[in-house]
Amino acid sequence: MNSQAFIPLVYQEVTEEAQLQKSRSFYEQMNNRRSVRHFDTKEVPKEVIQNIILTAGTAPSGAHKQPWTFCAVSNTELKLAIREAAEKEEYLNYTKRMSEQWLKDLEPFDTDWQKPMLTDAPWLIVVFRKAFDLVDGEKKKNYYINESIGLACGMLLSAIHHAGLVALTHTPSPMQFLVDVLQRPQNEKAFLLIPVGYPAKNCEVPKLERKTLDEISVFYE
Ligand code: IYR
């Protein structure tokens, strides 16, 4: 017999009419989410960040191993250390490592090696993926780590947006400096660096088009 305990699913059916209304309004809300690169320095309460991380932690994961750690940084010195290290790598990326084509593809976003958002934003959430777990010094395997952590990050971004805040999914490369600055254990690797906060006054974002439903889906009925 399966020794795992089972409990009744918490589930409330909604009418078709409510499904239509809720799915439409959630889409409209999510369609306003944008990556933001200019942050105000206004503070965000720690409890809001904790709730957002709790939401991300509800993501499904391979064998329910939850192979993630969310480090939330508001400490001024640590944010500065992260910014300086990120800018060092990004300077090399923009001046040496990135191809002509890559730089051209990034032109619409007006990005460069300077990352003021890493000190302006009140919080940086650094998401770490756990290649394995360490239980009493013993290695325990995790599964589908990238899929799991990608799902958790999607839910994290949705929770940030839902809370009325903005974020940037930042991927300085390489990201080893985050393990060093935050003194993470050897089983953790940085996955995403996410400044969270309020947009700067008169913040602008690139004029982007999203693909249409026809372009992103195929229905087989
Ligand atoms: N990591 C760099 C470059 C960059 C790359 C991609 I692909 C983007 O969509 C945006 C930026 C940076 O953060 O500037």
Side-chain angles (χ1 to χ4, degrees), residues 49-50 52-59 66-73 124-130 148-157 160 182 184 188 191-192 194:
I49 300 299
Q50 288 175 323
I52 285 166
I53 292 173
L54 279 170
T55 302
T58 67
Q66 306 169 83
W68 43 62
T69 305
F70 301 91
C71 294
V73 183
L124 305 179
I125 300 180
V126 191
V127 186
F128 288 90
R129 72 193 284 291
K130 293 165 102 167
S148 305
I149 202 141
L151 289 162
C153 287
M155 294 175 70
L156 185 82
L157 293 176
I160 291 167
L182 300 176
R184 300 312 304 157
E188 293 188 6
F191 187 77
L192 274 182
I194 307 178

Side-chain angles (χ1 to χ4, degrees), residues 132-140 187:
F132 51 91
D133 260 314
L134 281 173
V135 182
D136 301 327
E138 214 189 303
K139 279 190 185 183
K140 299 274 183 197
N187 59 327

Side-chain angles (χ1 to χ4, degrees), residues 37 90 94 98 102 106 111-112 115 170-172:
R37 294 191 165 78
E90 291 297 330
Y94 278 88
M98 283 151 75
W102 191 347
L106 285 181
T111 59
D112 63 31
K115 303 297 172 193
H170 181 35
T171 51

Side-chain angles (χ1 to χ4, degrees), residues 44-54 72 123 125 165 196:
V44 169
K46 180 177 176 182
E47 197 176 340
V48 174
I49 300 299
Q50 288 175 323
N51 288 337
I52 285 166
I53 292 173
L54 279 170
W123 290 96
I125 300 180
L165 300 170
V196 182

Side-chain angles (χ1 to χ4, degrees), residues 12 24 26 28 33 46 112 141 151 156 193-194:
Q12 183 75 58
R24 181 80 209 171
F26 190 62
E28 282 166 4
R33 189 205 56 79
K46 180 177 176 182
D112 63 31
K141 207 168 154 30
L151 289 162
L156 185 82
L193 169 52
I194 307 178

